Amino acid sequence: MEPAAIIAPQRARGEGRLVAKAEGGRTRIAELYQEGCAKIRLPRTFDASMEAVLINSSGGVTGGDRLSWEFRAGKGTKLTLTTQACEKVYKAAAGTAEIATRISVAAGAHVDWLPQETILFDRSALSRSLEVDLAADASFLAVEAVLIGRKAMGEEVRAGLFRDNWRIRSGGRLIHAENLALAGDIAALASRRAVLDGAAAFATLVYAAPDCESQLSKLRLALAGHALSGVSHYDVGGRDKIVARVAAADGFALRKILIPLISHLRKDASVPKVWTL
């Protein structure tokens, strides 16, 4: 009797691309491409900006899945990028899920990168990257939030792998770089005071715009009383940026901190409507 054939598990593949242009006083579609499980929806807006909602129709990622996103904001456009739901990273039987995002922002344009939270499950494995190229006078806001399990659901994450690499350039010059890695015993790492001090939710916010310095005092006031959070202002070769780090006990507490920060930097505009509390 012949041995049974080994069938490799099906893996998700997705590629999405959106190019925006300024036309008739509004931000409009110049190019839209979607393949596989990567979908992009463009809800109606009531101002000159464009909002794009990213959807992973596979319902989450696991080991071996591959997602690729590319966004180009043309000269003078205003683009908000968000996700339909939190990205769930499930237990990986083998391999590592990969998500790569590239964003370019042309002269006088602005992009808000505001995906909903990434939720890590026990024994999940994810490696993702964010590459951003800004024109010298473009502006950019990015917020990435991560939940190490969901406390309200009684989930516990003990082991796994999470890598997050950011590179942001302005006029071709590197202004922000960071490599985050949680590997192996994530529960033990997160319990360390120099890491998360037991917090199960954390986020990084980066804002690059000419008005950074004037926003600093309000952001610090908003974070007052949150011991595991802080914000700093940097001048990198004449290019201003703000970096904020926020940690909280759970996802609900994290959102309560993040939403006022995001709204303030969006000039009092609310977070995207797909965000719900």
Side-chain angles (χ1 to χ4, degrees), residues 113-125:
W113 171 246
L114 303 173
Q116 296 191 64
E117 297 90 340
T118 296
I119 303 174
L120 306 180
F121 285 72
D122 191 37
R123 296 172 65 186
S124 61

Side-chain angles (χ1 to χ4, degrees), residues 7 13 17 25 29 35 41-42 53 60 69 84 126 141 144 157-159 164 215 241 249-250 261-262 265-266 269 277:
I7 301 175
R13 298 288 185 270
R17 181 170 65 254
I29 301 171
E35 178 184 330
R41 297 295 179 263
L42 304 169
V53 179
W69 302 102
Q84 182 190 40
L126 170 65
L141 168 64
E144 283 278 15
V157 178
R158 295 204 169 274
D164 198 15
Q215 305 300 330
K241 71 171 181 178
D250 54 39
L261 301 182
I262 295 169
L265 292 174
R266 279 164 57 88
L277 275 175

Side-chain angles (χ1 to χ4, degrees), residues 10-236:
Q10 184 177 1
R11 294 301 182 225
R13 298 288 185 270
E15 180 181 348
R17 181 170 65 254
L18 173 64
V19 181
K21 64 181 180 180
E23 184 180 272
R26 294 182 61 89
T27 300
R28 302 184 184 276
I29 301 171
E31 181 182 341
L32 176 63
Y33 176 84
Q34 48 192 4
E35 178 184 330
C37 64
K39 311 298 182 186
I40 301 174
R41 297 295 179 263
L42 304 169
R44 188 174 184 181
T45 60
F46 299 94
D47 57 20
S49 68
M50 176 185 287
E51 182 176 303
V53 179
L54 317 184
I55 302 169
N56 172 12
S57 62
S58 66
V61 296
T62 188
D65 291 349
R66 303 286 184 269
L67 278 169
S68 174
W69 302 102
E70 182 181 359
F71 307 98
R72 300 200 297 269
K75 185 176 179 180
T77 58
K78 186 173 182 181
L79 181 62
T80 296
L81 304 166
T82 187
T83 55
Q84 182 190 40
C86 297
E87 186 67 274
K88 299 176 181 67
V89 189
Y90 295 114
K91 174 183 174 182
T96 301
E98 295 182 6
I99 302 176
T101 304
R102 296 187 61 89
I103 301 172
S104 64
V105 191
H110 176 83
V111 170
D112 291 329
W113 171 246
L114 303 173
Q116 296 191 64
E117 297 90 340
T118 296
I119 303 174
L120 306 180
F121 285 72
D122 191 37
R123 296 172 65 186
S124 61
L126 170 65
S127 178
R128 72 181 183 190
S129 63
L130 176 64
E131 294 269 350
V132 182
D133 289 293
L134 306 175
D137 64 345
S139 56
F140 179 67
L141 168 64
V143 178
E144 283 278 15
V146 178
L147 308 184
I148 305 176
R150 297 171 294 185
K151 280 194 171 182
M153 303 293 288
E155 295 166 358
E156 196 171 3
V157 178
R158 295 204 169 274
L161 171 67
F162 175 62
R163 295 194 185 101
D164 198 15
N165 301 323
W166 294 32
R167 297 292 184 272
I168 302 175
R169 296 172 176 84
S170 177
R173 179 174 182 173
L174 186 66
I175 64 167
H176 185 80
E178 64 176 82
N179 294 339
L180 168 67
L182 296 174
D185 192 340
I186 290 180
L189 283 172
S191 68
R192 295 180 183 175
R193 181 162 182 78
V195 182
L196 289 172
D197 199 22
F202 65 94
T204 295
L205 179 154
V206 175
Y207 180 65
D211 63 342
C212 282
E213 191 169 0
S214 64
Q215 305 300 330
L216 193 60
S217 60
K218 291 183 179 179
L219 295 178
R220 283 178 172 163
L221 183 62
L223 290 175
H226 300 292
L228 294 177
S229 303
V231 59
S232 300
H233 169 249
Y234 303 88
D235 181 335
V236 185

Side-chain angles (χ1 to χ4, degrees), residues 240-276:
D240 280 354
K241 71 171 181 178
I242 284 174
V243 179
R245 311 285 186 181
V246 181
D250 54 39
F252 182 73
L254 183 67
R255 280 205 173 194
K256 285 177 30 178
I257 300 170
L258 283 178
I259 287 176
L261 301 182
I262 295 169
S263 180
H264 174 67
L265 292 174
R266 279 164 57 88
K267 309 302 182 277
D268 297 325
S270 62
V271 294
K273 289 184 179 180
V274 289
W275 285 51
T276 57

